[in-house]
């Protein structure tokens, strides 16, 4: 055995690294203070939460048919908005992905626009479309479309940029056009990631659509707001449970669809 | 052993002429520099050399897939750097590339992958998947698959093939457009010795039957000497061997890897 000593398990951070860790800790403490951190209020919250659960349980079944139709409307908003958004995301992503159809300049411009879309919350988009097209589910659907483009457009582009470049190079060597290469090599290679991202987009759309009603953009959210505003906690609890069931159901259906779609050749 | 390329001219037409080629990546010293060689129509040239000598880079420079730092490549009588857009695509439609990996699109059928080899001549959605392809394209692709012995697997997904089968599909895709000039970058690198031998024998019999000009790389000395009409050996960024295969010994080849 040589006389060399074992290396340390962890490298000691340098001065710069230590200052970096310290800065992270200080930013978190500063953020907690700005967020109104209060240990007293946290400790006193369990009895209040227990009181809420006591008043909300059992969930109300009085207006179940009306709530069920509102849930159906919520799903319709989510599915229609996500479907249109996902389809529109593909051409947008082709323009956002570097080196697939366009160069760095166009890609940067499109990615900046997608960043702006994502930076604006879905509720804000819903407010904008309520102003533009009036109250109701159509405004909510448009908000979901824009929100889905911001999400799927960016991740579709990332998926395309990280595909194996080999098939694209082989087609480039035969003289294929960029659009043909994208359609035949890049998009098929990225398809599993597209499906996964689209299903996440649908789940996101379902979650978003449940609260769009808060600003008059349709869906079941308005029922939850009314339930809390009128202290009708059993109805609010019913809505919360319905949302949970639907979101979990969409996740499960998504998993089944993903497996089914992945197994087919074209 | 370094002979002048002109001493090996057998055909009357030069398909590839490289003049003063140099390429470096970043600030590192050039991978190669001052490369000069010619490949005549119908020749099969083996490009050999140790890892890192720039064989794959040189192949890609020859097809215009990456630009050299300086120098010129004339491919099928055209200066590849001087043509852009449709003219460059038209030139590439007369060439093909067989990679180290088969580079098939895994989720598509074997037949769709082979039809993609026609995209240099035909563009558009009808050539994207075999289900939409015109009858002539399907027939040509099926015939190419038949040549490599895989007609029975036309509708199988590409990711359900063995390594040897995948590489044969890659060869069918490269040949379906009847290329004039073909580049193969270690076509057997990812295969076991038995499959590699079979694929190499099939590949060479097909290209020689079709009279295609071939530039291929291989770490298998026997492949280079058996299948190459001529050997180009790279060492230290320069051409150290340029001679007919029958004039090159295994010892000459071994010196390239020292």
């Amino acid at each position: 055995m040589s006389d060399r000593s074992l290396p340390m398990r962890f490298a000691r951070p340098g001065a710069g690294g230590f200052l970096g860790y310290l800065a992270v800790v200080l930013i978190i403490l500063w953020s907690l203070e700005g967020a109104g951190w209060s240990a007293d209020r946290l400790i006193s919250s369990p009895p209040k939460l227990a009181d809420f659960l006591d008043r909300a349980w059992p969930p109300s079944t009085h207006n179940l048919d009306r709530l069920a139709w509102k849930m159906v409307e919520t799903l319709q908003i989510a599915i229609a908005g996500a479907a249109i958004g996902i389809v529109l995301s593909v051409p947008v992503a082709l323009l956002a992905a570097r080196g697939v159809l366009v160069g760095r300049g166009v890609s940067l411009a499109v990615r900046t626009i997608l960043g702006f879309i994502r930076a604006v919350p879905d509720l804000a988009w819903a407010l904008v479309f309520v102003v533009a097209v009036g109250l109701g589910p159509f405004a909510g659907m448009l908000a979901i479309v824009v929100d889905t483009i911001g999400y799927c457009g960016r991740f579709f582009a990332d998926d395309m940029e990280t595909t194996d470049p080999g098939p694209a190079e082989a087609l480039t060597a035969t003289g294929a056009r960029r659009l043909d290469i994208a359609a035949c090599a890049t998009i098929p290679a990225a398809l599993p990631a597209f499906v996964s991202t689209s299903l996440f987009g649908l789940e996101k759309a379902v979650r978003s659509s449940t609260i769009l009603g808060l600003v008059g953009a349709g869906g079941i959210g308005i029922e939850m707001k009314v339930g809390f505003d009128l202290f009708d906690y059993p109805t609010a609890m019913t809505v919360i449970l319905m949302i949970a069931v639907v979101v979990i159901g969409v996740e499960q259906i998504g998993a089944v669809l993903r497996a089914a779609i992945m197994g087919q050749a074209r | 052993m370094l002979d002048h390329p002109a001493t090996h001219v057998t055909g009357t037409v030069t398909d590839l002429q490289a003049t003063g080629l140099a390429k470096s990546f970043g600030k590192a010293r050039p991978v190669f520099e001052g490369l000069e060689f010619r490949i005549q129509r119908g020749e099969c040239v083996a490009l050999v050399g140790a890892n890192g000598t720039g064989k794959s880079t040189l192949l890609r420079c020859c097809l215009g897939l990456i630009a050299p730092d300086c120098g010129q490549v004339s491919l099928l009588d055209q200066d590849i750097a001087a043509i852009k857009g449709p003219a460059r695509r038209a030139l590439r439609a007369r060439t093909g590339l067989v990679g180290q990996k088969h580079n098939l699109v895994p989720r598509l059928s074997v037949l769709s992958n082979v039809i993609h080899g026609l995209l240099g001549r035909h563009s558009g959605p009808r050539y994207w998947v075999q289900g939409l392809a015109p009858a002539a394209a399907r027939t040509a692709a099926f015939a190419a698959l038949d040549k490599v012995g895989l007609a029975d697997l036309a509708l199988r997904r590409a990711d359900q093939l063995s390594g040897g089968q995948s590489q044969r599909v890659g060869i069918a895709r490269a040949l379906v457009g009847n290329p004039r000039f073909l580049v193969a970058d270690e076509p057997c690198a990812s295969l076991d010795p038995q499959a590699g031998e079979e694929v190499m024998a099939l590949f060479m019999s097909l290209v020689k039957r079709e009279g295609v000009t071939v530039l291929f790389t291989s770490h298998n000395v026997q492949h280079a000497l058996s299948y190459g009409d001529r050997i180009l050996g790279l060492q230290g960024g320069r051409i150290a061997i340029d001679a007919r295969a029958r004039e090159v010994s295994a010892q000459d080849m071994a010196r390239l890897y020292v």
Side-chain angles (χ1 to χ4, degrees):
Chain A
M1 186 167 173
S2 77
D3 57 355
R4 291 180 187 170
S5 58
L6 270 172
M8 290 196 306
R9 289 180 187 274
F10 305 104
R12 180 179 293 176
F18 178 77
L19 287 175
Y21 290 132
L22 187 63
V24 168
V25 170
L26 288 175
I27 288 170
I28 292 171
L29 291 175
W30 172 71
S31 302
L32 285 171
E33 198 219 341
W37 169 262
S38 164
D40 291 343
R41 287 166 67 185
L42 191 66
I43 291 166
S44 66
S45 65
K48 293 174 185 169
L49 193 61
D51 178 55
F52 164 74
L53 290 174
D54 184 50
R55 291 161 68 185
W57 202 263
S60 168
T61 55
H62 288 320
N63 298 314
L64 207 53
D65 55 340
R66 185 169 55 82
L67 294 178
W69 278 115
K70 273 292 182 188
M71 196 71 233
V72 170
E73 181 188 276
T74 305
L75 275 175
Q76 288 172 322
I77 293 171
I79 292 170
I84 296 171
I86 288 165
V87 169
L88 294 179
S89 291
V90 175
V92 170
L94 281 169
L95 296 175
R98 252 190 307 273
V100 175
L101 283 189
V102 297
R104 185 179 294 267
V106 176
S107 159
L108 189 63
V110 176
R111 279 183 177 272
T112 304
I113 294 168
L114 289 175
F116 171 77
I117 290 173
R118 283 195 311 281
V120 177
D122 44 12
L123 272 183
W125 283 119
L127 283 169
V128 169
F129 285 113
V130 164
V131 172
V133 301
L135 290 165
F138 186 52
M141 190 205 75
L142 293 177
I144 297 289
V145 169
V146 173
D147 202 44
T148 303
I149 291 173
Y151 175 78
C152 287
R154 181 256 163 97
F155 285 105
F156 284 2
D158 287 354
D159 295 338
M160 286 192 276
E161 285 181 0
T162 54
T163 56
D164 176 8
E169 186 186 48
L171 297 190
T172 303
T174 67
R177 292 166 184 266
R178 284 188 165 198
L179 184 61
D180 291 323
I181 295 169
C184 295
T186 312
I187 290 177
L191 205 58
F194 278 14
V195 171
S196 179
T197 302
S198 299
L199 291 171
F200 281 125
L202 179 63
E203 291 165 22
K204 186 173 180 296
V206 171
R207 276 194 296 273
S208 294
S209 63
T210 59
I211 57 164
L212 295 180
L214 298 179
V215 295
I220 201 168
I222 187 68
E223 300 293 338
M224 185 163 60
K225 183 176 187 305
V226 169
F228 275 105
D229 285 351
L230 300 180
F231 300 104
D232 181 7
Y233 293 152
T235 298
M237 177 60 81
T238 303
V239 174
I240 290 170
L241 291 176
M242 288 174 85
I243 291 172
V245 167
V246 167
V247 170
I248 292 169
V250 167
E251 284 181 6
Q252 296 301 315
I253 292 169
V256 172
L257 283 177
R258 199 184 322 230
I261 292 169
M262 298 293 127
Q264 295 171 359
R266 275 162 294 277
Chain B
M1 178 182 295
L2 177 58
D3 299 337
H4 193 276
T7 60
H8 306 296
V9 172
T10 55
T12 54
V13 180
T14 299
D15 273 352
L16 179 81
Q17 179 159 10
T19 312
L21 277 191
K23 181 68 185 175
S24 58
F25 293 100
K27 291 179 179 173
R29 76 181 183 87
V31 181
F32 51 75
E33 57 187 338
L35 297 192
E36 311 243 351
F37 61 91
R38 272 194 253 171
I39 298 177
Q40 302 301 127
R41 178 150 301 174
E43 257 192 319
C44 183
V45 176
L47 180 64
V48 294
N51 287 333
T53 49
K55 301 184 299 297
S56 297
T57 303
L58 177 57
L59 293 186
R60 280 155 181 75
C61 286
C62 290
L63 289 178
L65 295 172
I66 56 176
D69 297 338
C70 62
Q72 189 184 34
V73 174
S74 173
L75 178 62
L76 302 176
D77 291 329
Q78 295 193 67
D79 179 355
I80 202 160
I83 55 171
K84 304 284 179 199
R88 180 176 277 203
R89 286 201 300 274
L91 173 62
R92 282 180 173 159
R94 299 160 66 202
T95 69
L97 170 67
V98 178
Q100 287 183 16
K101 292 188 306 169
H102 46 76
N103 287 333
L104 303 180
V105 182
R107 299 185 45 71
L108 297 183
S109 68
V110 166
L111 194 58
S112 292
N113 270 284
V114 178
I115 287 171
H116 292 169
L118 297 167
L119 284 169
R121 299 172 194 275
H122 307 281
S123 180
R126 293 202 70 193
Y127 291 84
W128 291 354
V129 286
Q130 65 88 18
L132 301 175
R138 296 181 88 244
T139 304
F142 193 71
L145 270 180
D146 198 30
K147 284 181 187 170
V148 298
L150 293 179
D152 292 344
L153 304 181
L155 293 182
R156 185 169 292 187
R157 267 174 66 139
D159 55 5
Q160 293 174 350
L161 302 178
S162 69
Q165 289 171 333
S166 298
Q167 196 60 293
R168 284 202 256 171
V169 176
I171 291 167
R173 179 179 60 188
L175 289 175
V176 71
N178 298 315
R180 182 70 260 152
F181 185 89
L182 203 55
V183 158
D185 186 6
E186 295 188 46
C188 303
S190 59
L191 305 178
D192 64 58
Q194 174 72 23
E197 198 59 51
E198 289 172 7
V199 164
M200 200 67 188
L202 173 72
F203 176 58
M204 287 304 169
S205 71
L206 286 173
V207 295
K208 289 193 172 175
R209 190 193 307 162
E210 310 277 339
V212 181
T213 310
V214 177
L215 175 61
F216 74 98
T217 63
S218 178
H219 277 307
N220 185 318
V221 171
Q222 279 314 311
H223 280 173
L225 292 174
S226 307
Y227 296 114
D229 300 323
R230 206 172 109 212
I231 305 293
L232 276 178
L234 284 178
Q235 189 176 41
R238 302 273 181 181
I239 293 178
I241 296 177
D242 183 353
R244 293 206 158 281
R246 62 173 176 268
E247 297 165 358
V248 180
S249 67
Q251 287 77 12
D252 294 331
M253 299 285 270
R255 275 196 286 275
L256 291 173
Y257 296 89
V258 174

